[in-house]
Amino acid sequence: MKAYERLLKYVAVRTPSDENSETVPSSQCQFDLAKMLEEEMKALGLTGVHTDSQCYLYGKIPATPGYEDKTAIGFIAHMDTVSDFCGHEIKPVITENYDGEDLVLGESGRVLSSDTFGHLKGLKGRTLITTDGTTILGADDKAGIAEILTMAERLRDENIPHGPVSVAFTPDEEIGTGAAHFNVEDFGAEYAYTLDGDTEGEIQYENFNACKAQFDIRGFNVHPGSSKDTMINASLLAMEINSLLPGMETPRGTEDYEGFYHLMSMSGECGEAQLNYIVRDHSKEFFEARKHTLRLIEKNMNEKWGEGTVKLTITEQYKNMAEIINGCMHLIDNAKTACERAGVKPLILPIRGGTDGCQLSFKGLPCPNLGTGGHAYHGPYEHITVEGMDKSVDIIMELVKLYSSED
């Protein structure tokens, strides 16, 4: 089975995670996909296949006799998707011999535009998989799952000698908790790669340092007709707080290694209001400076409007895995070699986000990230190519061969 054929099968099972849930996994629908994958893994000859009570799915591709002492490597992808644009059945659309120009997405009124997505010109002649414009596709990260299992099938059918290979599929990556209950010992690999990136050939080992920041604002509400020098409008204070942050240091105004403050949501009335941000920076020093800025805003607002008016809560999320990967750069060197052997130009890029791998790296499993061939994740413009998926499979095949040939 081709990787894209697996993808089409998997995206039919909707698996949005739920940030407001207190269960693990955050949505029971993720077990539906895990059950399907567990059966497929067993049929492919993986051993020790099991899904635990928290929807982490593990399995192993046994080493070829005589290769048992080779470095044990692993491959990981996540089963959940974002919840946005995931409210009804997903209907993938296949466009063969894509012309690289604007593509109308079904009857949604949305257009996949080459002006907005400049890389589309480079996909000319490929087979493009999109949505009908009303949902996500789910290639993030079901493409990674499809590519890993296609690799497993090829190792079996092509009789390629290899060392121990571990496989795992996780829940809840999209809400930042995909690695929280990952059993590194059960997984059984020394090193791993997540397949959760974009363009085929991407190699990523520098991600953001990340936290959430919440401002809770308490106003003083009195009748507006008699509120001279007494009313404190919490919603206006929320606007004031946001105005104190650097206006260009937002996702829209930054790129590459530049960090940002991102206002995720806001709510409020005169009596109370709330601002929710995520804060990101590759530099540990700059990340700490960003948190200091937020604390300074809290301090100054309380000095201006009265102690207890503003309360800031900072919740740490993840750290830059480069701290760990810099000590085992063979992971990156081998990934570059694998790309070259597969006829793909290696693209060493920083992750403007995070993956399960950044948290797993700090749990003792160094785990950089590889591209899957997809683009425009997390929305109705998500797309991927058959050829990009095939190349991603070729790359991880070459990685297995490289680690199996080391002395």
Side-chain angles (χ1 to χ4, degrees), residues 214-379:
Q214 177 175 306
F215 284 99
D216 290 294
I217 305 153
R218 186 177 66 185
F220 189 82
N221 193 9
V222 295
H223 191 284
S226 56
S227 60
K228 172 69 172 175
D229 295 329
T230 56
M231 177 185 285
I232 300 176
N233 189 321
S235 291
L236 291 177
L237 265 60
M239 296 166 64
E240 181 178 354
I241 288 171
N242 192 67
S243 74
L244 294 171
L245 293 170
M248 290 301 295
E249 293 184 16
T250 64
R252 181 178 175 85
T254 54
E255 61 185 354
D256 298 330
Y257 289 93
E258 297 166 345
F260 57 72
Y261 305 90
H262 178 35
L263 179 59
M264 295 286 289
S265 65
M266 58 188 300
S267 60
E269 51 191 18
C270 186
E272 59 183 22
Q274 186 178 94
L275 298 169
N276 290 283
Y277 294 87
I278 59 172
V279 184
R280 303 289 190 260
D281 211 297
H282 282 88
S283 163
K284 186 175 183 180
E285 179 183 0
F286 291 169
F287 181 60
E288 293 302 321
R290 290 185 185 281
K291 291 188 287 186
H292 177 73
T293 295
L294 295 171
R295 294 187 182 105
L296 190 61
I297 290 173
E298 177 192 33
K299 173 177 176 290
N300 290 337
M301 290 293 289
N302 282 326
E303 288 177 353
K304 180 178 179 180
W305 296 102
E307 193 62 36
T309 301
V310 174
K311 178 184 177 182
L312 169 67
T313 303
I314 293 177
T315 304
E316 300 291 342
Q317 292 180 294
Y318 50 82
K319 297 186 289 185
N320 189 345
M321 76 168 95
E323 293 183 35
I324 304 299
I325 305 301
N326 283 332
C328 43
M329 285 298 289
H330 62 86
L331 288 164
I332 308 307
D333 294 338
N334 282 341
K336 289 166 62 177
T337 300
C339 287
E340 291 162 356
R341 290 186 179 182
V344 177
K345 181 181 178 180
L347 302 171
I348 310 294
L349 298 172
I351 307 173
R352 289 185 60 77
T355 68
D356 282 343
C358 60
Q359 297 182 56
L360 292 173
S361 292
F362 286 94
K363 294 180 72 171
L365 181 66
C367 192
N369 188 46
L370 302 177
T372 63
H375 306 272
Y377 293 153
H378 292 196

Side-chain angles (χ1 to χ4, degrees), residues 24-43:
V24 181
S26 65
S27 55
Q28 291 300 300
C29 58
Q30 295 180 69
F31 276 112
D32 296 336
L33 181 59
K35 181 179 179 181
M36 174 189 294
L37 296 174
E38 183 174 332
E39 293 173 355
E40 185 172 355
M41 290 164 70
K42 290 176 180 177

Side-chain angles (χ1 to χ4, degrees), residues 199 308 334 390:
T199 306
N334 282 341
D390 289 343

Side-chain angles (χ1 to χ4, degrees), residues 16 21 91 116 187 190 194 216 252 268 274 302 311 378 405:
S21 172
K91 298 178 179 178
T116 304
F187 185 57
E190 295 179 54
T194 50
D216 290 294
R252 181 178 175 85
Q274 186 178 94
N302 282 326
K311 178 184 177 182
H378 292 196
S405 63

Side-chain angles (χ1 to χ4, degrees), residues 29-156:
C29 58
Q30 295 180 69
F31 276 112
D32 296 336
L33 181 59
K35 181 179 179 181
M36 174 189 294
L37 296 174
E38 183 174 332
E39 293 173 355
E40 185 172 355
M41 290 164 70
K42 290 176 180 177
L44 288 171
L46 276 73
T47 61
V49 178
H50 66 283
T51 305
D52 69 16
S53 62
Q54 296 171 312
C55 202
Y56 288 76
L57 173 55
Y58 304 95
K60 293 181 172 61
I61 305 173
T64 303
Y67 286 76
E68 294 87 353
D69 61 345
K70 299 296 182 180
T71 301
I73 63 167
F75 297 95
I76 301 167
H78 65 87
M79 294 180 284
D80 67 315
T81 68
V82 291
S83 56
D84 294 345
F85 293 98
C86 198
H88 61 271
E89 181 184 358
I90 293 170
K91 298 178 179 178
V93 177
I94 299 177
T95 302
E96 296 182 354
N97 195 25
Y98 169 59
D99 63 7
E101 301 299 327
D102 291 0
L103 182 68
V104 176
L105 299 177
E107 299 179 357
S108 67
R110 294 188 171 93
V111 176
L112 189 63
S113 168
S114 57
D115 289 335
T116 304
F117 302 104
H119 65 269
L120 287 171
K121 297 287 187 182
L123 304 182
K124 183 178 180 180
R126 293 190 175 193
T127 298
L128 188 68
I129 305 174
T130 64
T131 75
D132 65 357
T134 65
T135 67
I136 58 169
L137 177 60
D140 179 13
D141 185 28
K142 291 167 185 173
I145 297 171
E147 289 159 6
I148 291 169
L149 292 186
T150 302
M151 174 269 293
E153 184 175 42
R154 285 183 57 186
L155 287 178
R156 182 195 67 182

